[in-house]
Amino acid sequence: MISDHEDIGIGSFACAFGDVECKPENIPDFEALWETVSFGTDFTEMGCTTYRKMSGPVEDYVVDAVRRTLQDAGATAADIDHLVFATSDPNLALLPTDFAGRVLLALGLEDCVPHVVSFQRCCSSLTALRHGQRLFSDPDVTHVVVGAVGFV
């Protein structure tokens, strides 16, 4: 069932990148590692000369992004009915088992229902958006936050 809400949409957006800039050439044996997975593709042709990594726990970055999203949307923690996290299968194993709980507590989302969507490989974020939209089929739902968690 699709929601009767006509005004469902993306009301705000935030992202958090790692705070440490790195270069592939600083990774020991990067050329050999790249050759095993690239099948002869020149790394510079991929358009990436740097990458970012997180110096702290991933949930700190997620909390920051969700907090900025709520502020930009003019929503409070009490307004949020559901928080949907999406991540790819390999990343799911790297998240702490209490990841969702840590994020909810840090944001003060006491009455919010957490959801974790995975096992859809690179489509987990799209599946999470669809799931978030379907949550609005409950007429009491007014705010759903969807977040994608990706890191290497």
Side-chain angles (χ1 to χ4, degrees):
M1 176 175 155
I2 300 298
S3 169
D4 291 333
H5 299 287
E6 293 182 16
D7 58 348
I8 294 176
I10 297 173
S12 185
F13 174 83
C15 65
F17 295 103
D19 52 328
V20 179
E21 183 176 287
C22 303
K23 295 181 181 278
E25 56 265 21
N26 296 336
I27 299 172
D29 298 321
F30 174 76
E31 291 299 327
L33 291 169
W34 179 250
E35 186 60 33
T36 62
V37 297
S38 68
F39 308 107
T41 304
D42 182 17
F43 184 74
T44 57
E45 290 179 14
M46 301 300 291
C48 180
T49 58
T50 63
Y51 65 95
R52 312 290 297 182
K53 74 177 186 178
M54 300 172 183
S55 62
V58 66
E59 62 264 21
D60 292 350
Y61 298 87
V62 172
V63 166
D64 175 59
V66 172
R67 187 171 283 132
R68 287 186 287 123
T69 300
L70 296 180
Q71 287 172 343
D72 188 52
T76 67
D79 295 330
I80 308 305
D81 301 302
H82 298 270
L83 180 56
V84 182
F85 298 107
T87 192
S88 65
D89 310 353
N91 287 341
L92 182 63
L94 299 174
L95 293 175
T97 56
D98 60 347
F99 169 78
R102 289 183 192 186
V103 172
L104 292 176
L105 286 173
L107 291 165
L109 297 171
E110 298 171 8
D111 296 322
C112 179
V113 178
H115 306 254
V116 178
V117 175
S118 190
F119 301 111
Q120 300 294 312
R121 303 294 299 169
C122 61
C123 294
S124 291
S125 57
L126 296 174
T127 302
L129 282 170
R130 183 180 63 215
H131 180 68
Q133 190 257 348
R134 289 179 175 169
L135 291 170
F136 284 104
S137 64
D138 178 345
D140 294 329
V141 171
T142 61
H143 292 81
V144 174
V145 175
V146 176
V149 181
F151 56 94
V152 292

